[in-house]
Amino acid sequence: MPSYILLALHVLAAVIWVGGMFFAYVVLRPTAAAQLEPPVRLKLWVGVFSRFFPYVWAAVILLPVTGYIMVFDFYQGFENAPRFIHTMNGLGIVMILLYMHVFFAPYKRLKQAVASENWPEAGKKLNQIRMLVGTNTVLGLIVVIVAAAGRYL
Ligand code: HEM
């Protein structure tokens, strides 16, 4: 596959994942908290995550796959790759593991709690997701800066 397609898919995956988290955390979260009662708000978030997470799964597969192909295409392996690529790889793996924890742990329990209308439990799980997505948003913004500016540093 030509490098420009690999890079385009890689950057698209980063934009959709990090941009989506940024919107959810910085825009939708405070608006929903200010306007919606907990039961409505918790159902809203289950709906939002169930639509956003398939795109995140695509991103957490596409980013390492296109990233590793590019590492071997552009640099013939990690030993020749500049430091910013190692930073992107390391932080990228942390972001992917954090997301998988969110998906298989608090998100799964959030869905169960909302289905059984256990609002205090659902609120606790949403709080856990908020902290982990907040962390991943900051990491994602740092990785994008490192990816774009790294070669000049
Ligand atoms: C998971 C492991 C990852 C690997 C192995 C990887 C590898 C790479 C490589 C080899 C490039 C091309 C760099 C060049 O042109 O010399 C690149 C570009 C880029 N990567 Fe990653 N990446 C990974 C994860 C991520 C993540 C998680 C993000 C964002 C959240 C990201 C965002 C970017 C961006 C924005 C560029 C384009 C930089 C530019 O051309 O200005 N990457 N990545």
Side-chain angles (χ1 to χ4, degrees):
M1 187 184 287
S3 311
Y4 65 86
I5 303 231
L6 288 169
L7 190 55
L9 287 174
H10 193 81
V11 173
L12 266 179
V15 166
I16 290 170
W17 186 14
V18 180
M21 288 194 291
F22 183 89
F23 177 80
Y25 193 85
V26 175
V27 179
L28 183 55
R29 181 184 57 85
T31 311
Q35 296 188 11
L36 304 176
E37 292 303 313
V40 181
R41 183 160 28 104
L42 291 159
K43 284 181 198 159
L44 169 81
W45 280 111
V46 170
V48 167
F49 294 141
S50 68
R51 284 189 176 78
F52 181 48
F53 284 168
Y55 294 101
V56 181
W57 275 114
V60 298
I61 294 165
L62 263 178
L63 279 162
V65 169
T66 56
Y68 294 134
I69 297 173
M70 288 192 291
V71 165
F72 289 91
D73 254 9
F74 297 5
Y75 305 107
Q76 294 70 53
F78 275 98
E79 60 279 10
N80 310 316
R83 201 171 33 197
F84 81 96
I85 300 291
H86 293 269
T87 307
M88 187 174 358
N89 182 42
L91 292 179
I93 291 169
V94 171
M95 288 179 67
I96 293 167
L97 292 174
L98 277 177
Y99 166 68
M100 291 171 86
H101 172 68
V102 165
F103 187 85
F104 292 113
Y107 174 55
K108 204 167 158 198
R109 299 197 187 111
L110 171 69
K111 285 191 287 183
Q112 288 161 351
V114 167
S116 59
E117 302 200 346
N118 181 348
W119 307 123
E121 178 63 15
K124 261 193 248 152
K125 296 305 152 199
L126 186 64
N127 259 343
Q128 281 177 18
I129 294 173
R130 176 179 56 77
M131 281 192 301
L132 294 165
V133 170
T135 307
N136 248 359
T137 307
V138 172
L139 286 178
L141 294 172
I142 292 170
V143 177
V144 168
I145 293 167
V146 167
R151 80 195 72 220
Y152 306 105
L153 299 176

